[in-house]
Amino acid sequence: MRRSSRTATGLLLGFAVDRVLGDPRRWHPVAGFGSMALAVETVTYADRRAAGVVHELLLVGSVAGAGAVLRGRGILPVALATWTVLGGQSLVRTGRDMADRLEAGDLDGARALLPSLCGRDPAALDADGLARAALESIAENTSDAAVAPLLWGAIAGVPGLLGYRAVNTLDAMIGYRNDRYHRFGWAAARVDDLANLAPARLTGLLTACLAPLSGGTPARALRVWRRDARNHPSPNAGVVESSMAGALGIRLGGRTEYRHGIELRPVLGDGPAPTVPDLRRAVRMSEAVQLAAVTLAAAAAALISWPQR
């Protein structure tokens, strides 16, 4: 079997395992990478951009290098790497659980669940606020947790899968503009932005194409994307959130409460603020986008002919 075919088969198999099992419950490799990154940070940290660049190169380079060693060794490494880096099924399950708790009136349970989706302050949110926070997180993480790793896996095999997850994890750990990480985390944030440029736009296109599944239209999703995405502070989150808002016919953004303070996010979309039924529609859209993404990724991987050693 050609290496390109092995990559395509491994992506499909890893995706199927994620659909059945979700994230590994114990000894998750991504958690292990996070612990390693914390240990390395005690040595590399300095309040300078250059130190952050070294930190990023060291950690992402080591993970991508390990993936390069495994590349070409059959279907199993690709499948295991795909399962390891995907978070799509866990995202869907958490979204459904959030909707179940909100529909049952269990606000305390919903607030306890929110930190597993995003960094909003759950104590400040009512039922609709929790639904909006969860929906925006599902829109963004459909790209980060599913479409992006699949796309990088199709392009670069195991090194692409593992390297992308390392980039995204470091951004989540240090890509902040607070006193400690404003300079040190600059490289992590910028590399993550670059790594997600293409995946976010693929997610937006798939969301627009699949908008009829949620009662929307591709034209409206694309119109909201073109008009509103540029107003978002993130070059990638704005794309996926605005396309989801257009597909669902709702309005996202506005006053957003975090533990560190309040941000006034740009408004994305034209419709009413999201409610619990909209959260369920967003979960269904996420599932559809993920299925479309793995189909395209496998097809792309099958067309790529890796040079033989």
Side-chain angles (χ1 to χ4, degrees):
M1 184 182 291
R2 292 172 55 192
R3 185 178 299 178
S4 56
S5 298
R6 292 197 297 267
T7 299
T9 304
L11 290 172
L12 290 169
L13 181 59
F15 182 86
V17 174
D18 180 62
R19 294 261 85 60
V20 175
L21 300 179
D23 287 337
R25 298 297 179 91
R26 300 181 61 187
W27 308 107
H28 199 306
V30 176
F33 172 79
S35 298
M36 180 179 72
L38 286 173
V40 171
E41 186 180 328
T42 63
V43 177
T44 58
Y45 180 80
D47 190 20
R48 298 192 302 272
R49 285 186 176 183
V53 171
V54 171
H55 185 75
E56 183 85 0
L57 288 173
L58 183 63
L59 286 164
V60 176
S62 63
V63 171
V69 172
L70 296 172
R71 192 174 73 185
R73 296 182 181 272
I75 294 171
L76 187 59
V78 181
L80 288 175
T82 302
W83 176 39
T84 295
V85 304
L86 285 179
Q89 181 63 5
S90 294
L91 178 68
V92 165
R93 287 176 180 172
T94 305
R96 286 185 183 140
D97 193 9
M98 175 67 78
D100 290 342
R101 296 183 188 191
L102 290 173
E103 284 185 345
D106 182 12
L107 290 186
D108 289 339
R111 289 180 177 125
L113 185 62
L114 188 66
S116 64
L117 286 170
C118 62
R120 311 278 176 89
D121 182 6
L125 300 175
D126 59 10
D128 288 347
L130 290 164
R132 178 199 139 198
L135 197 156
E136 289 177 349
S137 178
I138 286 170
E140 182 173 2
N141 284 295
T142 297
S143 179
D144 291 357
V147 177
L150 289 168
L151 180 58
W152 281 105
I155 293 170
V158 178
L161 289 162
L162 300 184
Y164 171 77
R165 183 51 62 209
V167 166
N168 191 245
T169 301
L170 286 175
D171 176 61
M173 295 179 69
I174 65 173
Y176 301 107
R177 295 182 178 179
N178 56 23
D179 290 342
R180 177 173 175 84
Y181 292 127
H182 184 71
R183 295 183 182 86
F184 183 73
W186 173 83
R190 297 291 78 75
V191 172
D192 184 73
D193 283 345
L194 289 172
N196 281 293
L197 282 174
R201 282 143 187 84
L202 176 59
T203 303
L205 286 172
L206 292 175
T207 300
C209 290
L210 296 169
L213 296 177
S214 65
T217 65
R220 183 175 63 188
L222 291 171
R223 176 174 56 80
V224 173
W225 171 1
R226 288 196 302 267
R227 187 192 66 198
D228 296 342
R230 67 174 71 99
N231 299 324
H232 197 283
S234 167
N236 300 316
V239 171
V240 294
E241 290 183 22
S242 61
S243 59
M244 181 68 83
L248 299 179
I250 57 174
R251 182 181 72 252
L252 299 176
R255 180 185 173 93
T256 304
E257 299 196 32
Y258 294 93
R259 288 187 173 88
H260 62 263
I262 297 173
E263 295 184 14
L264 294 178
R265 291 293 180 88
V267 173
L268 309 173
D270 302 309
T275 58
V276 177
D278 297 315
L279 175 57
R280 289 204 182 277
R281 291 199 296 148
V283 170
R284 291 195 297 270
M285 282 292 298
S286 177
E287 286 187 294
V289 168
Q290 291 179 45
L291 286 169
V294 73
T295 302
L296 290 177
L303 294 174
I304 296 174
S305 181
W306 291 103
Q308 299 297 316
R309 291 183 179 180

